[in-house]
């Protein structure tokens, strides 16, 4: 037997914050088709952010990066 969505939502919202947080994590994880790929991209983003913090001069402005890409595609 299935619980109507509104009734389920009402019950979930009565849960303590930590239980709602854990439930949300489980629901989101169930929707995630490729957690390994997401984790890999998260690692790349963290690495790039760390580099930007450590050596801001190594960063290329967006306009310049786009110009380089456009030139390579020609």
């Amino acid at each position: 037997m299935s619980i109507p969505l509104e009734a389920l939502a009402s019950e979930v919202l009565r849960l303590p914050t930590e239980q709602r947080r854990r439930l949300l994590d489980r629901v989101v994880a169930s929707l995630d088709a490729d957690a390994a790929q997401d984790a890999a991209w998260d690692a790349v983003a963290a690495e790039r952010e760390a580099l930007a913090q450590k050596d801001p001069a190594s960063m290329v402005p967006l306009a310049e990066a786009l110009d380089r890409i456009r030139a390579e595609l020609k």
Side-chain angles (χ1 to χ4, degrees):
M1 165 166 93
S2 167
I3 300 172
L5 181 60
E6 288 303 318
L8 179 59
S10 179
E11 289 296 316
V12 167
L13 292 173
R14 288 189 196 127
L15 293 170
T17 301
E18 184 55 34
Q19 288 181 351
R20 287 195 323 260
R21 185 175 292 118
R22 288 195 333 246
L23 178 58
L24 177 61
D25 288 344
R26 290 178 65 181
V27 170
V28 169
S30 75
L31 298 173
D32 193 358
D34 195 346
Q37 185 178 29
D38 288 347
W41 277 115
D42 288 346
V44 168
E47 187 178 312
R48 290 180 182 174
E49 183 177 10
L51 175 61
Q53 294 293 324
K54 181 179 175 185
D55 184 13
S58 69
M59 298 294 101
V60 176
L62 176 61
E64 183 181 335
L66 292 173
D67 287 344
R68 289 181 189 179
I69 293 168
R70 287 183 185 113
E72 287 182 24
L73 293 174
K74 285 184 181 180

